[in-house]
């Protein structure tokens, strides 16, 4: 266990300041995610170091398409969540509080990433906010070791937690937007304030971090017109160059509606681009054309991806900026392109 860096003490309870659920936790109790507990009047991260998976994975699978292209990240996860989406693909770990398993040290992840030749680390698979103090320490070590650190998150951190992550060197954020405020009327994730997620995405960008937004279009949950329009309007407030991934849903956990209609995904993509979002991708359909990057100015193919790997990369770097080789348009891209076999 480790005492949490972010807590507020009251006479009869503690307030967890890691995520915007801001759980009020009485003595001997845990917060909603199961990882933070009130023990003798202090908040402890009882799930610290209790990891469920450690695996090297391509950065494109996160998905991050404009961040360290073709690199691999040592990916790690723990247990629990603060949202509990009924369609969760990883519910085996997200819907489970941390069990009694051996503790893994953050330093072990850094050493393993170096041995495997990974270029960074990634907190993913379940919500990193449930593992905040561990992620923070791992990010600090990664920064000192020359590795990048990124998170796949629902974006529900408090501003205090988010700023600590940014200061620790966590500069890559794949943020899942679950939907829109109207979903609460349908009693779907009624505890989630979706505006906060875009507030946090904006904060990351303003502080120099990299953001890509993922909109999993879930049949019968967030696939209606007004929800799509709200998401696009909010996304444009982040800037036209922030990538948007419109991803296909498949039945999972307690949500048994049919998979997202492909025509709807393609329609949403076309409309998002028409509204002014420069980089819109369609995921979970495994079509390289829908996952490739084209210059928004001249239309040239810049990056082609297939099965989460880069097979063609034609951007040129000038003065620290990535540009289209045909028209010279600046293309937002963070980090280095990792040349591997199969890329051209």
């Amino acid at each position: 266990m480790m005492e949490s860096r972010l807590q507020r003490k009251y006479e009869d309870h503690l307030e967890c300041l890691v995520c915007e659920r801001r759980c009020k936790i009485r003595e001997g109790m845990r917060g909603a995610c199961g990882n933070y507990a009130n023990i003798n009047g202090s908040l402890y991260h009882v799930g610290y170091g209790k990891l469920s998976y450690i695996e090297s994975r391509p950065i494109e699978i996160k998905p991050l398409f404009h961040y360290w292209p073709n690199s691999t990240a040592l990916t790690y996860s723990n247990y629990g969540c603060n949202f509990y989406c009924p369609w969760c693909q990883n519910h085996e770990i997200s819907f489970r509080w941390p069990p009694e398993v051996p503790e893994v040290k953050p330093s072990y992840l850094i050493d393993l990433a170096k041995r495997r030749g990974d270029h960074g680390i990634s907190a993913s698979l379940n919500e990193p906010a449930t593992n905040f103090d561990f992620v923070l320490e791992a990010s600090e070590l990664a920064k000192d070791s020359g590795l990048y650190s990124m998170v796949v998150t629902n974006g529900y951190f408090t501003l205090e937690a988010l700023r600590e992550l940014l200061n620790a060197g966590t500069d890559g954020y794949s943020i899942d937007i679950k939907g829109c405020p109207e979903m609460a009327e349908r009693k779907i994730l009624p505890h989630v304030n979706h505006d906060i997620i875009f507030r946090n995405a904006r904060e990351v960008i303003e502080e120099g971090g990299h953001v890509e937004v993922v909109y999993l279009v879930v049949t019968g949950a967030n696939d209606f017109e007004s929800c799509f329009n709200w998401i696009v309007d909010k996304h444009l407030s982040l800037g036209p160059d922030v990538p948007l991934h419109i991803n296909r849903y498949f039945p999972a956990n307690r949500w048994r509606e049919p998979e997202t209609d492909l025509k709807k995904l393609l329609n949403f993509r076309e409309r998002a681009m028409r509204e002014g979002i420069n980089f819109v991708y369609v995921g979970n359909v495994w079509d390289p054309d829908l996952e490739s990057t084209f210059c928004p100015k001249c239309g040239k193919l810049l990056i082609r991806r297939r099965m989460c790997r880069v097979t063609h990369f034609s951007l040129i770097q000038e003065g620290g900026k990535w540009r289209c080789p045909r028209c010279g348009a600046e293309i937002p891209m963070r980090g280095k392109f990792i040349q591997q076999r199969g890329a051209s």
Side-chain angles (χ1 to χ4, degrees):
M1 294 191 302
M2 171 176 286
E3 187 169 2
S4 175
R5 304 193 197 190
L6 296 178
Q7 58 180 294
R8 184 175 292 134
K9 298 185 178 184
Y10 293 90
E11 186 174 338
D12 61 346
H13 70 276
L14 300 171
E15 182 180 5
C16 177
L17 302 177
V18 172
C19 94
E20 284 289 356
R21 293 197 71 157
R22 296 179 179 265
C23 293
K24 311 298 189 292
I25 309 173
R26 295 185 180 276
E27 173 67 37
M29 304 297 289
R30 298 190 187 195
C33 74
N35 281 271
Y36 287 88
N38 184 338
I39 301 175
N40 297 324
S42 292
L43 188 66
Y44 281 88
H45 183 189
V46 295
Y48 181 91
K50 296 179 179 179
L51 303 187
S52 53
Y53 288 99
I54 303 175
E55 180 183 12
S56 297
R57 308 187 89 193
I59 197 67
E60 284 79 14
I61 207 172
K62 304 304 174 182
L64 284 183
F65 284 4
H66 292 242
Y67 179 94
W68 286 87
N70 221 35
S71 68
T72 61
L74 188 72
T75 300
Y76 62 98
S77 59
N78 62 317
Y79 299 87
C81 193
N82 55 350
F83 275 16
Y84 298 104
C85 301
W87 52 80
C88 180
Q89 299 281 337
N90 296 314
H91 58 92
E92 294 91 350
I93 59 173
S94 295
F95 282 50
R96 180 184 181 187
W97 283 10
E100 290 302 320
V101 294
E103 179 183 309
V104 176
K105 298 291 186 183
S107 57
Y108 171 78
L109 293 182
I110 305 305
D111 292 341
L112 183 59
K114 288 181 173 181
R115 290 201 304 269
R116 291 186 176 181
D118 292 315
H119 309 91
I121 62 172
S122 169
S124 183
L125 300 178
N126 77 313
E127 173 50 44
T130 67
N131 201 21
F132 172 74
D133 290 278
F134 183 93
V135 173
L136 198 62
E137 187 175 341
S139 297
E140 291 167 343
L141 293 174
K143 182 179 180 180
D144 292 341
S145 300
L147 300 174
Y148 67 68
S149 176
M150 60 82 53
V151 292
V152 179
T153 175
N154 59 36
Y156 219 56
F157 293 104
T158 62
L159 284 176
E160 298 98 315
L162 192 62
R163 288 165 182 162
E164 290 231 20
L165 284 174
L166 287 162
N167 289 336
T170 307
D171 69 341
Y173 293 77
S174 176
I175 299 180
D176 296 311
I177 178 68
K178 304 300 182 181
C180 57
E182 194 176 336
M183 290 172 63
E185 301 172 12
R186 304 180 178 211
K187 296 181 171 55
I188 302 173
L189 301 180
H191 59 283
V192 176
N193 181 343
H194 302 276
D195 281 298
I196 284 175
I197 300 168
F198 280 103
R199 178 205 71 183
N200 285 350
R202 190 175 301 109
E203 178 73 15
V204 172
I205 293 168
E206 289 175 353
E207 293 299 318
H210 177 83
V211 168
E212 300 189 28
V213 174
V214 181
Y215 170 25
L216 182 69
V217 184
V218 180
T219 307
N222 62 11
D223 63 336
F224 49 97
E225 289 289 318
S226 56
C227 197
F228 166 77
N229 292 334
W230 185 87
I231 289 172
V232 169
D233 286 345
K234 285 289 185 178
H235 189 96
L236 284 167
S237 72
L238 303 178
D241 284 342
V242 175
L244 173 63
H245 300 259
I246 300 176
N247 284 4
R248 193 177 207 174
Y249 139 90
F250 292 93
N253 196 19
R254 301 193 304 269
W255 202 264
R256 309 315 298 174
E257 295 293 327
E259 64 192 51
T260 324
D261 182 68
L262 180 57
K263 291 181 180 179
K264 175 170 286 190
L265 296 172
L266 297 177
N267 177 46
F268 280 1
R269 175 180 182 265
E270 180 183 347
R271 290 165 56 187
M273 294 177 70
R274 193 164 60 238
E275 287 294 321
I277 302 175
N278 286 331
F279 304 98
V280 185
Y281 304 99
V282 177
N284 297 340
V285 299
W286 303 284
D287 183 339
D289 290 337
L290 298 175
E291 294 187 330
S292 294
T293 300
F294 297 87
C295 177
K297 185 175 180 181
C298 72
K300 178 178 174 55
L301 173 65
L302 301 174
I303 307 174
R304 188 168 181 81
R305 302 175 182 88
R306 184 177 181 85
M307 302 303 291
C308 300
R309 292 281 73 187
V310 173
T311 60
H312 170 81
F313 187 93
S314 62
L315 287 171
I316 58 174
Q317 199 167 25
E318 293 179 350
K321 298 182 183 298
W322 292 100
R323 297 188 180 278
C324 171
R326 177 189 289 167
C327 70
E330 184 178 342
I331 307 299
M333 191 69 58
R334 179 171 297 241
K336 299 177 182 178
F337 165 58
I338 305 301
Q339 182 76 43
Q340 295 179 357
R341 184 178 298 175
S344 62

